[in-house]
Amino acid sequence: MDDDPQVFLVALGYLAKKQGMTKVDKKAGLNRESLYKALAGGGNPRFSTVNKVIKALGGLMAVA
């Protein structure tokens, strides 16, 4: 397990690209440029942005 949040963001970006960034940005209510910046290595997105992307990908964020 990697505790680096950047690894999570890069993985989330990979999933968004696989599903199609245009599709994800519309579902998340974000513009495409903001989405790329948020999910790029070194990005520092807000929690709300990450949550919107997860929901747009059909996921659910949970704390266990």
Side-chain angles (χ1 to χ4, degrees):
M1 181 171 171
D2 197 321
D3 292 333
D4 183 357
Q6 292 302 315
V7 173
F8 174 74
L9 292 175
V10 169
L12 198 58
Y14 174 79
L15 292 173
K17 288 176 188 171
K18 291 293 277 183
Q19 208 170 89
M21 290 297 254
T22 302
K23 183 178 175 182
V24 174
D25 70 1
K26 287 181 182 167
K27 283 185 175 181
L30 302 166
N31 71 47
R32 193 171 184 190
E33 184 179 329
S34 295
L35 187 58
Y36 272 108
K37 283 183 183 179
L39 301 178
N44 190 21
R46 301 171 101 187
F47 174 80
S48 60
T49 300
V50 173
N51 195 36
K52 287 177 185 179
V53 172
I54 291 171
K55 285 182 179 181
L57 291 170
L60 175 67
M61 185 179 290
V63 178

